[in-house]
Amino acid sequence: MNKGHRYYGEFRWQLFLGLILLSLSAFFYLIHYFIFHDIHHILIYFIGDIAFVFCEVLLVALVLNRLLVYQERRTVLKKLNMIIGAFFSEVGFPLLKLLAGFDTRIAQVQPKLVISARDTEQDFKNIQKILLSYQPAVEIKKGDLAELKEFLSRRRDSLLNLLRNSNLLEHESFTDTLWAIFHLTEELMFRPQLTGLPGHDYEHLAGDAERAYRLLIVEWLAYMKHLRREYSYLFSLAIRTNPFDRNASVVIND
């Protein structure tokens, strides 16, 4: 059975059910009239019920529906933040550290990216302004390109699994970041060797690395902000493993 026949069958069933319900309603109104002979009473309740239907539509269609959509969205976002957390633990944090090694301007913003437990919402807004205006300068020969290739190659399957996750459609900027990282991974893996390449090819790789790096920094800050608001214990660990903090140590001192 094709879709047209199926939809037609569903429509006929709904129409049939509607006619039955209307017939039953009319039948019981008739019973009421023949017993009590009070059309005035019937019309009062009939018109009153019709008037209340609009209030029910308002309550169900707008208020309750919005509450259900909001709750569903919160559930999806919670699952999505769990996925993002797993990504940063396995890929994001170490990748940021590797890519920062190619950035010749990182010293300009690195002290401002050192986050502490005392930072306020305003501090995060200030850091976000800095990152949005920051233009990294990736010099592809400055860092360890072979190490970057090996790191991303070992995590290619993890990136693919993340990109297959339908929940990521709710987070467009994070999806763009994943695509940029995956593209950089493919560019590096398709080159058998990374030494002795033409200058224009190195420039192309630098552009891909810079794109992934720039997007990843912004997502990193958003993730840190989320941890600060929702999970203080995870935020504490993220601070102590901050890829931009040269003095970061997982060991808690005085």
Side-chain angles (χ1 to χ4, degrees):
M1 182 182 293
N2 59 35
K3 290 184 178 180
H5 286 136
R6 187 171 71 250
Y7 292 150
Y8 178 69
E10 290 178 359
F11 174 74
R12 287 186 61 187
W13 176 83
Q14 292 172 358
L15 180 62
F16 180 69
L17 178 62
L19 290 174
I20 290 177
L21 293 174
L22 288 174
S23 300
L24 287 172
S25 179
F27 175 73
F28 281 99
Y29 273 123
L30 287 173
I31 290 176
H32 184 282
Y33 177 75
F34 284 123
I35 294 176
F36 299 104
H37 299 284
D38 189 357
I39 190 68
H40 176 72
H41 183 270
I42 292 175
L43 290 176
I44 288 175
Y45 281 94
F46 181 72
I47 296 174
D49 289 341
I50 291 178
F52 188 69
V53 165
F54 301 104
C55 295
E56 288 182 315
V57 171
L58 175 66
L59 181 64
V60 174
L62 297 182
V63 179
L64 292 181
N65 184 61
R66 282 182 177 272
L67 288 174
L68 291 173
V69 170
Y70 173 74
Q71 184 61 37
E72 182 181 359
R73 181 170 176 79
R74 283 196 63 184
T75 302
V76 171
L77 288 177
K78 187 174 182 179
K79 292 179 180 179
L80 180 56
N81 283 321
M82 292 174 62
I83 295 171
I84 294 174
F87 162 78
F88 272 102
S89 295
E90 184 179 356
V91 181
F93 289 140
L95 179 57
L96 272 175
K97 194 168 186 177
L98 281 172
L99 291 174
F102 294 88
D103 188 2
T104 59
R105 295 178 184 165
I106 188 61
Q108 298 177 11
V109 295
Q110 193 163 17
K112 300 171 185 177
L113 300 181
V114 177
I115 297 172
S116 73
R118 296 184 298 274
D119 285 350
T120 63
E121 192 75 18
Q122 186 59 46
D123 292 326
F124 275 88
K125 289 181 180 179
N126 294 336
I127 297 173
Q128 185 176 26
K129 289 180 181 178
I130 293 170
L131 288 181
L132 289 176
S133 61
Y134 176 60
Q135 292 295 328
V138 171
E139 174 54 59
I140 208 66
K141 295 182 180 180
K142 181 177 183 290
D144 193 332
L145 198 56
E147 183 182 3
L148 179 62
K149 176 182 178 179
E150 181 183 0
F151 174 83
L152 289 174
S153 299
R154 284 190 276 110
R155 287 158 178 82
R156 182 178 182 275
D157 291 340
S158 298
L159 292 172
L160 274 175
N161 289 333
L162 285 171
L163 288 169
R164 293 191 187 107
N165 195 309
S166 60
N167 287 327
L168 289 177
L169 296 175
E170 295 288 331
H171 202 316
E172 186 177 348
S173 62
F174 183 69
T175 304
D176 290 342
T177 303
L178 282 181
W179 276 117
I181 296 172
F182 186 75
H183 176 71
L184 176 62
T185 304
E186 296 280 270
E187 288 279 1
L188 293 173
M189 289 183 64
F190 280 131
R191 288 169 171 79
Q193 60 181 24
L194 298 172
T195 57
L197 297 175
H200 289 297
D201 200 38
Y202 280 125
E203 290 178 8
H204 180 81
L205 288 174
D208 291 333
E210 185 174 314
R211 181 190 305 111
Y213 178 49
R214 187 174 61 252
L215 292 172
L216 185 58
I217 292 178
V218 175
E219 290 302 317
W220 165 79
L221 182 65
Y223 177 63
M224 294 291 284
K225 186 177 180 180
H226 165 71
L227 291 184
R228 175 185 172 275
R229 184 174 59 250
E230 301 290 341
Y231 302 100
S232 57
Y233 62 99
L234 293 177
F235 181 58
S236 172
L237 178 60
I239 290 174
R240 287 177 279 124
T241 55
N242 186 340
F244 298 105
D245 187 355
R246 294 176 180 175
N247 300 318
S249 173
V250 72
V251 177
I252 300 176
N253 297 311
D254 294 336

